[in-house]
């Protein structure tokens, strides 16, 4: 058929083939987080008993430990309410975005801001849709307002540390870059642990927050890398940062100039 023949001819063009590969890659990476998150939402909504037992067991044991160790609990509260608080992390991302605007890294600044805002909005919408109650104890050690699933602290930590690491990685010597990834991962895990240990979230809440945060970062990062590919920056590994040229005086290419693709 003429229509199918025209579509086949179009797909033979290198640019269209690259676009198709990028589109499939974006869908695959996003699905890695979206599918488990969707399954977790179903299990939470249907009150699946094995998941409920895991949540209740972890919450109960950690609540008893928190009651028996008040100094330890105070440290967790300091970390959760100040060091890893969503407001603190959002201010850090906002400051980074302003610095990127100062360096005229317009698209990287847009990616940073959109990732943070999209993560916050998606987390809020899911909370309102699921309406899961927070854990309740006879002797609580902490309180938090709003619904429980997904954890806003866990989601904000995931998106914020991903933004900070992916933007600032090019400024770090290559030998030290694994340390940056390790600090980011340990911080996210620490946020998740403090929220469950303080009794303001179920275990599945923090897992859901991390998964949804990864979905947002994966989707926005693939969109950014698609733009880089279209401007002739194909081939850089994500381990080098989202935009390795951020260290240059002019980090983003002139849209009126074309660069040959690398790799």
């Amino acid at each position: 058929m003429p229509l199918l023949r025209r579509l086949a001819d179009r797909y033979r063009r290198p640019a269209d083939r690259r676009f198709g590969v990028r589109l499939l890659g974006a869908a695959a990476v996003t699905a890695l987080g979206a599918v488990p998150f969707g399954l977790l939402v179903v299990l939470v909504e249907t009150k699946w008993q094995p998941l409920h037992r895991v949540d209740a067991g972890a919450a109960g044991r950690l609540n008893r430990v928190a009651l028996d160790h008040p100094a330890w609990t105070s440290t967790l509260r300091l970390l959760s309410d100040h060091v890893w608080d969503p407001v603190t992390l959002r201010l850090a991302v906002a400051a980074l975005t302003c610095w990127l605007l100062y360096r005229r890294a317009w698209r990287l600044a847009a990616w940073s801001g959109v990732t943070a805002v999209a993560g916050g909005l998606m987390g809020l919408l899911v909370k309102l849709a699921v309406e899961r109650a927070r854990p309740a104890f006879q002797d609580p050690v902490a309180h938090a307002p709003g619904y429980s699933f997904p954890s806003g602290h866990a989601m904000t930590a995931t998106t914020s540390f991903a933004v900070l690491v992916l933007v600032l990685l090019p400024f770090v010597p290559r030998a030290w870059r694994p340390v940056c990834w390790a600090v980011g991962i340990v911080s996210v895990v620490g946020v998740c642990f403090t929220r469950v240990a303080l009794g303001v979230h179920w275990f599945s809440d923090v897992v859901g927050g991390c998964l949804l945060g990864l979905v947002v970062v994966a989707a926005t990062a693939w969109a950014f890398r698609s733009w880089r590919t279209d401007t002739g920056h194909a081939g850089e590994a994500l381990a080098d940062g989202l935009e390795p040229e951020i260290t240059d005086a002019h980090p983003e290419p002139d849209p009126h100039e074309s660069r040959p693709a690398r790799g």
Side-chain angles (χ1 to χ4, degrees):
M1 296 174 64
L3 177 59
L4 294 177
R5 194 158 41 247
R6 286 199 299 271
L7 290 175
D9 291 340
R10 176 179 292 274
Y11 184 73
R12 292 193 188 100
R13 300 173 188 173
D16 293 320
R17 288 200 299 272
R18 290 195 299 268
F19 175 74
V21 171
R22 293 200 300 271
L23 193 61
L24 290 174
V29 172
T30 305
L32 289 176
V35 171
F37 177 76
L39 176 60
L40 186 59
V41 170
V42 172
L43 297 179
V44 169
E45 287 278 55
T46 57
K47 297 179 174 60
W48 192 50
Q49 283 303 308
L51 179 62
H52 175 72
R53 286 195 292 270
V54 170
D55 280 339
R61 284 192 295 272
L62 288 173
N63 179 250
R64 290 191 293 272
V65 173
L67 290 172
D68 294 339
H69 301 83
W72 180 70
T73 304
S74 298
T75 301
L76 294 180
R77 194 178 289 118
L78 173 67
L79 291 170
S80 180
D81 296 344
H82 299 284
V83 178
W84 289 326
D85 183 70
V87 174
T88 302
L89 297 179
R90 287 168 186 156
L91 286 175
V93 173
L96 177 68
T97 303
C98 291
W99 177 74
L100 291 172
L101 291 172
Y102 172 76
R103 288 184 61 85
R104 298 180 182 274
W106 311 115
R107 292 174 180 82
L108 194 58
W111 173 80
S112 171
V114 167
T115 301
V117 172
L121 290 177
M122 286 189 66
L124 178 60
L125 290 174
V126 175
K127 276 180 182 285
L128 294 175
V130 177
E131 296 185 343
R132 189 187 200 186
R134 292 182 183 272
F137 300 99
Q138 185 174 354
D139 296 309
V141 297
H143 299 277
Y147 296 118
S148 189
F149 183 90
S151 166
H153 276 68
M155 183 168 183
T156 302
T158 302
T159 55
S160 298
F161 281 107
V163 168
L164 293 170
V165 171
L166 289 173
V167 170
L168 298 177
L169 210 57
F171 294 95
V172 180
R174 190 172 297 275
W176 287 92
R177 290 178 184 178
V179 177
C180 295
W181 286 108
V183 169
I185 293 171
V186 168
S187 297
V188 173
V189 173
V191 170
C192 295
F193 178 77
T194 60
R195 300 309 283 171
V196 179
L198 290 172
V200 293
H201 276 294
W202 304 105
F203 174 73
S204 55
D205 294 339
V206 297
V207 173
C210 291
L211 288 174
L212 190 56
L214 287 174
V215 171
V216 172
V217 172
T220 59
W222 268 99
F224 186 87
R225 287 175 68 83
S226 292
W227 164 75
R228 285 181 57 78
T229 300
D230 289 338
T231 55
H233 287 81
E236 297 93 344
L238 198 59
D240 295 326
L242 203 57
E243 188 170 68
E245 298 83 11
I246 188 63
T247 57
D248 299 341
H250 303 286
E252 291 189 358
D254 187 334
H256 300 294
E257 295 180 1
S258 61
R259 291 183 50 178
R262 288 184 287 174

